[in-house]
């Protein structure tokens, strides 16, 4: 379900932070819910950030100004380096690490849909990262304990993308039997 | 490596998909939701829905269409046609579109591009350019607005460069001279624009056979190719087109 009500958010088995927006607009729109989501995630509720929602998991972003994120995972959101077409737009091949449960049953590499000009430079040593190649190793997905994020859009990535969302729903269920 | 995209374009009027030649002589090509779902299953990388009527009434129909499409289509899709405010974009994006495309309104008010980019992010904003060759000058194209009916003095190259600076995330570049002819894309135009900007360029207008797609990518420098006639009337499948590009060594999501 889609909600901005604190009670719904507290009662949910897991949370998805979606995103089609610029970073500053998105984090401002979240307002006081940002702190609630952060506390719930720190207390073990599964959280999946998508695109800008994924970028908000990190500490800071420089998209149209300087903005502070949820700081659940160490790293900063910075522009994709010049010398290639920007935005990074379209289907790119992601190498899927075996030990990332978001990708269970998806195989060793799959195409996912990306649309972004900024990316997360992840410095958190406790984070598992899946990469895609865009002339450099670009982080495509992350997991730190119960906190998950994808730079790509699983909801727009056809059958494989739906499988990723299903995997997230499954692990939410396991967490809340 | 980023795959080259094949993007079917569905021109919508009165709730039906139509396809013409050089923007006129429209022919019925089916129901937009059904055709969109079929393309999504057939392996299209993205879809574009263009409201070619673009009246107040048709805009409301477009929002309903976007909601229906979003329920059945799990690939990204862009919506365009008559969009002139950030509020209209917000409504379409909330209804399930991944991107919005603007054309006439951006020419009339270029700051609209910046306002939209700051709110939704550059990646959401597609600038559609309808380009017509200037008869007097070689390698010069003029921007046409109002669904191609109104020529302007605006130089396509200058406009593309300016739009990128203002925050456009992608350019949907249609050659009005080639549109619907199935004689191939205008790759001089595609090359000139893709060399001038750093954002992705979608080549549009003229695809009639698989080789044309390859040429738009290799000779035209396009990141993606828009198609309509070539697949709407079942001459080719998306898979055949992708197999062809793959056999010529291009990365595709197959």
């Amino acid at each position: 379900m889609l909600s901005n009500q604190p009670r719904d958010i507290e009662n949910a088995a897991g949370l998805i932070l979606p995103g089609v927006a610029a970073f500053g607009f998105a984090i401002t729109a979240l307002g006081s819910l940002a702190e609630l989501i952060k506390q719930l995630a720190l207390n073990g509720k599964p959280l999946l950030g998508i695109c800008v929602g994924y970028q908000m998991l990190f500490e800071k972003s420089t998209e149209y100004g300087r903005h502070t994120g949820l700081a659940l995972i160490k790293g900063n959101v910075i522009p994709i380096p010049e010398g290639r077409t920007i935005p990074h737009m379209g289907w790119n091949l992601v190498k899927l690490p075996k030990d990332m449960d978001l990708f269970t049953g998806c195989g060793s590499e799959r195409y996912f849909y990306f649309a972004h000009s900024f990316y997360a430079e992840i410095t958190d040593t406790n984070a598992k990262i899946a990469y895609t190649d865009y002339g450099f190793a670009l982080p495509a997905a992350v997991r730190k304990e119960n906190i998950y994020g994808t730079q790509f859009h699983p909801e727009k990535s056809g059958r494989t993308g739906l499988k990723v969302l299903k995997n997230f729903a499954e692990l939410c269920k396991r967490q809340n039997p | 490596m980023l795959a080259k995209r094949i993007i079917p374009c569905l021109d919508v009027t009165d709730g039906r998909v139509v396809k013409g030649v050089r923007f006129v002589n429209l022919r019925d090509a089916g129901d937009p939701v059904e055709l969109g779902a079929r393309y999504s299953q057939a392996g299209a990388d993205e879809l574009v829905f263009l409201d070619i009527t673009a009246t107040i009434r048709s805009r409301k129909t477009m929002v309903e269409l976007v909601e229906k499409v979003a329920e059945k289509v799990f690939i990204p899709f862009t919506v365009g046609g008559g969009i002139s405010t950030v509020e209209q974009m917000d409504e379409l994006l909330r209804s399930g579109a991944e991107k919005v495309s603007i054309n006439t309104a951006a020419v009339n008010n270029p700051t609209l591009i910046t306002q939209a980019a700051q709110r939704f992010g550059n990646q959401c904003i597609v600038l559609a350019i309808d380009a017509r060759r200037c008869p007097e000058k070689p390698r010069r194209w003029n921007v046409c607005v109002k669904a191609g009916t109104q020529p302007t003095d605006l130089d396509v190259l200058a406009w593309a460069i300016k739009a990128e600076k203002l925050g456009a995330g992608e350019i949907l570049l249609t050659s009005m001279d080639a549109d619907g002819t199935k004689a191939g894309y205008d790759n001089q135009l595609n090359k000139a624009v893709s060399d001038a900007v750093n954002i992705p360029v979608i080549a549009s207008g003229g695809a009639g056979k698989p080789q044309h797609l390859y040429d738009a990518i290799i000779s035209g420098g396009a990141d993606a190719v828009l198609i309509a006639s070539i697949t709407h009337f079942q001459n080719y499948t998306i898979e055949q087109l992708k197999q062809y590009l793959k056999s010529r060594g291009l990365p595709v999501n197959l």
Side-chain angles (χ1 to χ4, degrees):
Chain A
M1 69 182 290
L2 186 67
S3 175
N4 60 1
Q5 298 302 313
R7 179 182 291 230
D8 291 339
I9 293 171
E10 281 169 37
N11 291 337
L15 301 171
I16 294 181
L17 202 52
V20 174
F23 193 100
F25 188 88
I27 199 86
T28 307
L30 217 47
S32 60
L33 294 179
E35 194 50 38
L36 174 65
I37 292 167
K38 182 172 174 172
Q39 287 313 318
L40 291 170
L42 288 174
N43 287 328
K45 197 185 282 290
L47 172 66
L48 172 63
I50 294 173
C51 200
V52 171
Y54 151 86
Q55 294 184 353
M56 286 194 286
L57 302 175
F58 300 95
E59 294 165 294
K60 287 196 185 82
S61 167
T62 55
E63 186 181 11
Y64 289 115
R66 298 186 71 84
H67 310 283
T68 308
L70 298 175
L72 288 164
I73 303 175
K74 281 185 199 139
N76 289 319
V77 178
I78 58 174
I80 293 173
E82 284 176 21
R84 68 210 82 221
T85 302
I86 299 169
H88 175 222
M89 176 94 74
W91 298 77
N92 210 338
L93 201 56
V94 179
K95 295 236 180 285
L96 308 175
K98 272 209 185 83
D99 54 354
M100 277 178 93
D101 51 0
L102 211 49
F103 300 120
T104 303
C106 293
S108 61
E109 54 178 26
R110 275 286 179 275
Y111 277 99
F112 289 95
Y113 183 81
F114 292 82
H116 61 116
S117 307
F118 286 70
Y119 79 103
E121 196 176 48
I122 305 173
T123 50
D124 205 314
T125 47
N126 294 319
K128 282 191 196 312
I129 306 169
Y131 291 96
T132 188
D133 177 10
Y134 197 46
F136 69 107
L138 188 152
V142 71
R143 176 189 176 181
K144 185 185 174 185
E145 293 157 11
N146 55 310
I147 299 158
Y148 298 80
T150 60
Q151 176 61 71
F152 56 80
H153 285 273
E155 79 285 10
K156 297 284 179 184
S157 294
R159 239 167 276 149
T160 320
L162 294 181
K163 174 73 180 153
V164 169
L165 292 176
K166 212 173 146 198
N167 284 345
F168 180 69
E170 292 287 328
L171 66 92
C172 289
K173 251 190 254 168
R174 280 201 299 277
Q175 196 97 357
N176 302 264
Chain B
M1 198 171 170
L2 196 63
K4 298 298 177 187
R5 290 170 285 158
I6 297 184
I7 309 176
C9 180
L10 288 70
D11 288 350
V12 179
T13 183
D14 294 327
R16 299 290 292 176
V17 179
V18 292
K19 183 63 203 142
V21 177
R22 295 193 179 95
F23 287 36
V24 293
N25 295 328
L26 303 180
R27 203 176 137 191
D28 189 271
D31 175 70
V33 181
E34 216 174 277
L35 194 56
R38 208 191 315 148
Y39 271 131
S40 168
Q41 279 155 16
D45 293 307
E46 278 180 45
L47 293 171
V48 172
F49 291 88
L50 287 182
D51 171 12
I52 58 168
T53 328
T55 58
I56 291 167
R57 211 180 105 209
S58 71
R59 221 169 277 140
K60 201 167 159 255
T61 320
M62 260 339 241
V63 172
E64 290 162 12
L65 173 68
V66 167
E67 286 169 354
K68 282 188 209 150
V69 169
E71 281 173 19
K72 294 206 172 176
V73 170
F74 300 104
I75 56 171
F77 63 95
T78 303
V79 185
I83 299 171
S84 57
T85 66
V86 170
E87 287 67 37
Q88 287 168 356
M89 296 178 196
D90 188 47
E91 192 177 20
L92 292 163
L93 295 170
R94 277 174 193 273
S95 303
E98 173 76 20
K99 303 182 242 184
V100 287
S101 116
I102 48 176
N103 184 340
T104 307
V107 173
N108 292 341
N109 172 24
T111 58
L112 178 65
I113 299 175
T114 310
Q115 289 165 8
Q118 288 186 0
R119 173 138 172 204
F120 308 113
N122 299 25
Q123 80 291 335
C124 259
I125 313 305
V126 181
L127 179 77
I129 302 178
D130 291 336
R132 186 140 71 184
R133 271 182 187 272
C134 184
E136 298 88 41
K137 293 182 199 151
R139 289 172 191 268
R140 150 111 196 186
W141 296 263
N142 286 338
V143 175
C144 293
V145 295
K146 299 201 169 168
T149 57
Q150 199 172 305
T152 72
D153 294 332
L154 197 54
D155 171 37
V156 167
L157 282 187
W159 176 225
I161 292 166
K162 183 176 172 187
E164 176 180 24
K165 284 204 186 97
L166 290 172
E170 197 166 30
I171 291 175
L172 169 51
L173 183 61
T174 301
S175 159
M176 293 190 58
D177 307 289
D179 182 71
T181 62
K182 298 190 199 173
Y185 295 90
D186 183 343
N187 289 323
Q188 274 184 2
L189 169 68
N190 294 329
K191 181 77 178 141
V193 175
S194 60
D195 280 351
V197 298
N198 198 32
I199 53 181
V201 172
I202 307 170
S204 158
K209 53 182 187 182
Q211 160 103 39
H212 292 154
L213 279 57
Y214 179 84
D215 291 344
I217 293 163
I218 296 300
S219 316
D223 296 272
V225 285
L226 205 78
I227 54 169
S229 310
I230 185 172
T231 50
H232 282 1
F233 302 112
Q234 277 97 35
N235 295 333
Y236 291 94
T237 64
I238 300 286
E239 196 185 340
Q240 283 172 330
L241 297 175
K242 284 195 173 177
Q243 286 289 4
Y244 175 82
L245 295 182
K246 193 181 174 189
S247 75
R248 304 277 317 257
L250 292 177
V252 288
N253 174 18
L254 196 65

mmCIF file of all heavy atoms in Angstrom, chain A residues 84-97:
data_model
loop_
_atom_site.group_PDB
_atom_site.id
_atom_site.type_symbol
_atom_site.label_atom_id
_atom_site.label_comp_id
_atom_site.label_asym_id
_atom_site.label_seq_id
_atom_site.Cartn_x
_atom_site.Cartn_y
_atom_site.Cartn_z
ATOM 1 N N ARG A 84 31.157 10.485 -20.434
ATOM 2 C CA ARG A 84 30.196 9.500 -20.925
ATOM 3 C C ARG A 84 28.838 10.193 -21.013
ATOM 4 O O ARG A 84 28.686 11.301 -20.508
ATOM 5 C CB ARG A 84 30.146 8.286 -19.988
ATOM 6 C CG ARG A 84 29.564 8.592 -18.623
ATOM 7 C CD ARG A 84 30.157 7.705 -17.550
ATOM 8 N NE ARG A 84 31.436 8.228 -17.104
ATOM 9 C CZ ARG A 84 32.499 7.505 -16.851
ATOM 10 N NH1 ARG A 84 32.475 6.215 -16.988
ATOM 11 N NH2 ARG A 84 33.621 8.064 -16.460
ATOM 12 N N THR A 85 27.875 9.515 -21.627
ATOM 13 C CA THR A 85 26.539 10.084 -21.733
ATOM 14 C C THR A 85 25.893 10.133 -20.346
ATOM 15 O O THR A 85 25.925 9.158 -19.609
ATOM 16 C CB THR A 85 25.679 9.232 -22.682
ATOM 17 O OG1 THR A 85 26.330 9.177 -23.952
ATOM 18 C CG2 THR A 85 24.295 9.835 -22.873
ATOM 19 N N ILE A 86 25.379 11.300 -19.985
ATOM 20 C CA ILE A 86 24.708 11.476 -18.695
ATOM 21 C C ILE A 86 23.361 12.152 -18.954
ATOM 22 O O ILE A 86 23.332 13.166 -19.658
ATOM 23 C CB ILE A 86 25.567 12.352 -17.750
ATOM 24 C CG1 ILE A 86 26.912 11.654 -17.503
ATOM 25 C CG2 ILE A 86 24.842 12.593 -16.416
ATOM 26 C CD1 ILE A 86 27.937 12.532 -16.800
ATOM 27 N N PRO A 87 22.240 11.690 -18.417
ATOM 28 C CA PRO A 87 22.057 10.596 -17.452
ATOM 29 C C PRO A 87 22.459 9.200 -17.974
ATOM 30 O O PRO A 87 22.500 8.980 -19.176
ATOM 31 C CB PRO A 87 20.538 10.609 -17.212
ATOM 32 C CG PRO A 87 20.014 11.879 -17.783
ATOM 33 C CD PRO A 87 20.972 12.306 -18.815
ATOM 34 N N HIS A 88 22.758 8.335 -17.026
ATOM 35 C CA HIS A 88 22.902 6.902 -17.282
ATOM 36 C C HIS A 88 21.472 6.398 -17.434
ATOM 37 O O HIS A 88 20.736 6.319 -16.477
ATOM 38 C CB HIS A 88 23.594 6.258 -16.075
ATOM 39 C CG HIS A 88 23.711 4.760 -16.154
ATOM 40 N ND1 HIS A 88 23.474 3.949 -15.062
ATOM 41 C CD2 HIS A 88 24.051 3.936 -17.163
ATOM 42 C CE1 HIS A 88 23.662 2.687 -15.414
ATOM 43 N NE2 HIS A 88 24.015 2.651 -16.677
ATOM 44 N N MET A 89 21.085 6.148 -18.685
ATOM 45 C CA MET A 89 19.671 5.937 -18.994
ATOM 46 C C MET A 89 19.500 4.684 -19.812
ATOM 47 O O MET A 89 20.055 4.571 -20.899
ATOM 48 C CB MET A 89 19.181 7.156 -19.785
ATOM 49 C CG MET A 89 17.785 7.095 -20.275
ATOM 50 S SD MET A 89 16.661 7.874 -19.139
ATOM 51 C CE MET A 89 17.030 9.602 -19.425
ATOM 52 N N GLY A 90 18.752 3.732 -19.281
ATOM 53 C CA GLY A 90 18.461 2.530 -20.046
ATOM 54 C C GLY A 90 18.801 1.264 -19.283
ATOM 55 O O GLY A 90 18.947 1.282 -18.069
ATOM 56 N N TRP A 91 18.934 0.153 -20.042
ATOM 57 C CA TRP A 91 19.119 -1.169 -19.446
ATOM 58 C C TRP A 91 20.601 -1.491 -19.371
ATOM 59 O O TRP A 91 21.282 -1.514 -20.388
ATOM 60 C CB TRP A 91 18.393 -2.219 -20.277
ATOM 61 C CG TRP A 91 16.919 -2.005 -20.332
ATOM 62 C CD1 TRP A 91 16.261 -1.073 -21.093
ATOM 63 C CD2 TRP A 91 15.919 -2.694 -19.583
ATOM 64 N NE1 TRP A 91 14.906 -1.153 -20.852
ATOM 65 C CE2 TRP A 91 14.663 -2.149 -19.943
ATOM 66 C CE3 TRP A 91 15.948 -3.738 -18.642
ATOM 67 C CZ2 TRP A 91 13.469 -2.598 -19.406
ATOM 68 C CZ3 TRP A 91 14.751 -4.185 -18.122
ATOM 69 C CH2 TRP A 91 13.529 -3.623 -18.489
ATOM 70 N N ASN A 92 21.074 -1.760 -18.167
ATOM 71 C CA ASN A 92 22.474 -2.139 -18.015
ATOM 72 C C ASN A 92 22.564 -3.447 -17.240
ATOM 73 O O ASN A 92 21.711 -3.778 -16.420
ATOM 74 C CB ASN A 92 23.275 -1.026 -17.328
ATOM 75 C CG ASN A 92 24.728 -1.015 -17.780
ATOM 76 O OD1 ASN A 92 25.238 -2.037 -18.256
ATOM 77 N ND2 ASN A 92 25.387 0.113 -17.647
ATOM 78 N N LEU A 93 23.664 -4.174 -17.527
ATOM 79 C CA LEU A 93 23.855 -5.511 -16.979
ATOM 80 C C LEU A 93 24.442 -5.403 -15.566
ATOM 81 O O LEU A 93 25.479 -4.772 -15.368
ATOM 82 C CB LEU A 93 24.811 -6.275 -17.906
ATOM 83 C CG LEU A 93 24.805 -7.784 -17.854
ATOM 84 C CD1 LEU A 93 23.421 -8.366 -18.109
ATOM 85 C CD2 LEU A 93 25.791 -8.332 -18.895
ATOM 86 N N VAL A 94 23.768 -5.999 -14.601
ATOM 87 C CA VAL A 94 24.235 -5.956 -13.214
ATOM 88 C C VAL A 94 24.760 -7.337 -12.831
ATOM 89 O O VAL A 94 24.089 -8.350 -13.069
ATOM 90 C CB VAL A 94 23.088 -5.548 -12.255
ATOM 91 C CG1 VAL A 94 23.570 -5.520 -10.808
ATOM 92 C CG2 VAL A 94 22.525 -4.191 -12.659
ATOM 93 N N LYS A 95 25.975 -7.363 -12.262
ATOM 94 C CA LYS A 95 26.525 -8.622 -11.740
ATOM 95 C C LYS A 95 25.904 -8.860 -10.374
ATOM 96 O O LYS A 95 25.961 -8.000 -9.494
ATOM 97 C CB LYS A 95 28.042 -8.517 -11.600
ATOM 98 C CG LYS A 95 28.746 -8.354 -12.934
ATOM 99 C CD LYS A 95 29.792 -9.449 -13.114
ATOM 100 C CE LYS A 95 30.526 -9.329 -14.438
ATOM 101 N NZ LYS A 95 29.764 -9.743 -15.616
ATOM 102 N N LEU A 96 25.280 -10.029 -10.196
ATOM 103 C CA LEU A 96 24.516 -10.292 -8.987
ATOM 104 C C LEU A 96 25.291 -11.207 -8.042
ATOM 105 O O LEU A 96 25.456 -12.395 -8.337
ATOM 106 C CB LEU A 96 23.173 -10.933 -9.365
ATOM 107 C CG LEU A 96 22.361 -10.177 -10.432
ATOM 108 C CD1 LEU A 96 21.112 -10.968 -10.823
ATOM 109 C CD2 LEU A 96 21.973 -8.794 -9.933
ATOM 110 N N PRO A 97 25.783 -10.655 -6.924
ATOM 111 C CA PRO A 97 26.524 -11.503 -5.976
ATOM 112 C C PRO A 97 25.599 -12.587 -5.399
ATOM 113 O O PRO A 97 24.426 -12.318 -5.126
ATOM 114 C CB PRO A 97 26.952 -10.532 -4.871
ATOM 115 C CG PRO A 97 26.767 -9.172 -5.429
ATOM 116 C CD PRO A 97 25.689 -9.271 -6.463
#
